[in-house]
Amino acid sequence: AQSVTQLDSHVSVSEGTPVLLRCNYSSSYSPSLFWYVQHPNKGLQLLLKYTSAATLVKGINGFEAEFKKSETSFHLTKPSAHMSDAAEYFCVVSGRFGNEKLTFGTGTRLTIIP
Amino acid sequence: KAGVTQTPRYLIKTRGQQVTLSCSPISGHRSVSWYQQTPGQGLQFLFEYFSETQRNKGNFPGRFSGRQFSNSRSEMNVSTLELGDSALYLCASSWAKGPPSDTEAFFGQGTRLTVV
């Protein structure tokens, strides 16, 4: 079975400083990996996805993530945090047979300090 | 292009009642998945429908059921509601043409169900 572990339940950074949200995955097959963001009272929005092409994936709003198979990690980064980045972030792994059954991490709440 | 639409947005029900939630996928999307989000359990997969057939199912009791119509709209039903069913129910659609695919899942804003 597949799973993801988000190593921090809460991360606080100052505006303009780098963001690092950590995610480790476990899978018995070559998975697809995603990062989704959820703003308060909103649905989930896809930030980026890894599907066995380039290991460094660029997403929307300046976010990127690097797939490291040797470390089973898929950490999300952004060089400079913006106030609008404050939200809940989910690391997600696909099902063995497709992306219609996703397994979510427990989420990381990102707070931006003005 | 309209996104995934879930109705109603908010719902309050009493223990023992049943509830039906609706999800209209993005036009052209044939796969609809449902997820339950709670503070304690996080986001958990309920089931997925494609062309009116349930293809995947999560680990939820039989009180949770769903269906999909020929226009790809989906409904999810919860019978004999329990307090623990209070949650945000999210629907996602994707443009799967056939077997489970590599396509992106687009999520609706959810229905917040409160059971009292």
Side-chain angles (χ1 to χ4, degrees):
Chain A
Q2 68 277 12
S3 67
V4 287
T5 302
Q6 292 186 244
L7 299 167
D8 307 292
S9 59
H10 193 191
V11 170
S12 294
V13 301
S14 296
E15 190 177 17
T17 65
V19 175
L20 170 64
L21 305 184
R22 299 181 295 164
C23 172
N24 286 348
Y25 72 92
S26 173
S27 178
S28 58
Y29 50 89
S30 296
S32 294
L33 291 160
F34 310 82
W35 276 97
Y36 278 86
V37 61
Q38 185 176 36
H39 291 276
N41 299 315
K42 294 285 180 69
L44 292 155
Q45 181 184 20
L46 180 68
L47 278 177
L48 50 80
K49 66 179 179 181
Y50 165 77
T51 55
S52 74
T55 56
L56 182 62
V57 183
K58 294 187 184 300
I60 61 171
N61 301 335
F63 285 95
E64 63 181 41
E66 186 171 8
F67 175 76
K68 291 187 176 180
K69 187 174 181 179
S70 61
E71 298 176 12
T72 60
S73 68
F74 190 58
H75 302 333
L76 181 70
T77 60
K78 182 173 180 177
S80 176
H82 190 271
M83 293 302 295
S84 61
D85 295 329
E88 186 97 21
Y89 291 79
F90 294 93
C91 183
V92 181
V93 64
S94 65
R96 182 181 183 91
F97 301 107
N99 296 345
E100 284 76 26
K101 178 179 179 180
L102 302 173
T103 299
F104 284 77
T106 51
T108 298
R109 180 163 299 279
L110 177 62
T111 300
I112 310 298
I113 303 165
Chain B
K1 185 170 170 179
V4 178
T5 304
Q6 292 188 247
T7 56
R9 289 292 311 281
Y10 302 92
L11 207 48
I12 299 176
K13 289 287 188 178
T14 304
R15 268 184 306 174
Q17 286 187 313
Q18 75 160 10
V19 68
T20 299
L21 313 182
S22 178
C23 172
S24 293
I26 291 171
S27 177
H29 286 194
R30 294 170 66 187
S31 169
V32 174
S33 302
W34 288 90
Y35 294 83
Q36 181 197 63
Q37 185 176 25
T38 60
Q41 300 297 317
L43 273 147
Q44 294 184 291
F45 173 80
L46 280 155
F47 29 65
E48 184 248 348
Y49 287 87
F50 176 82
S51 288
E52 302 177 64
T53 300
Q54 186 181 88
R55 282 198 305 197
N56 288 290
K57 190 177 191 307
N59 297 324
F60 279 81
R63 299 185 298 106
F64 291 82
S65 63
R67 59 177 175 169
Q68 187 181 33
F69 301 94
S70 58
N71 62 358
S72 294
R73 190 177 72 84
S74 177
E75 288 182 347
M76 132 173 195
N77 184 274
V78 188
S79 62
T80 320
L81 283 165
E82 300 177 0
L83 295 179
D85 297 333
S86 295
L88 180 67
Y89 290 89
L90 290 163
C91 163
S93 76
S94 63
W95 193 43
K97 281 190 166 182
S101 66
D102 207 24
T103 57
E104 175 185 345
F106 292 84
F107 284 81
Q109 290 191 278
T111 293
R112 184 164 296 283
L113 171 66
T114 302
V115 182
V116 298

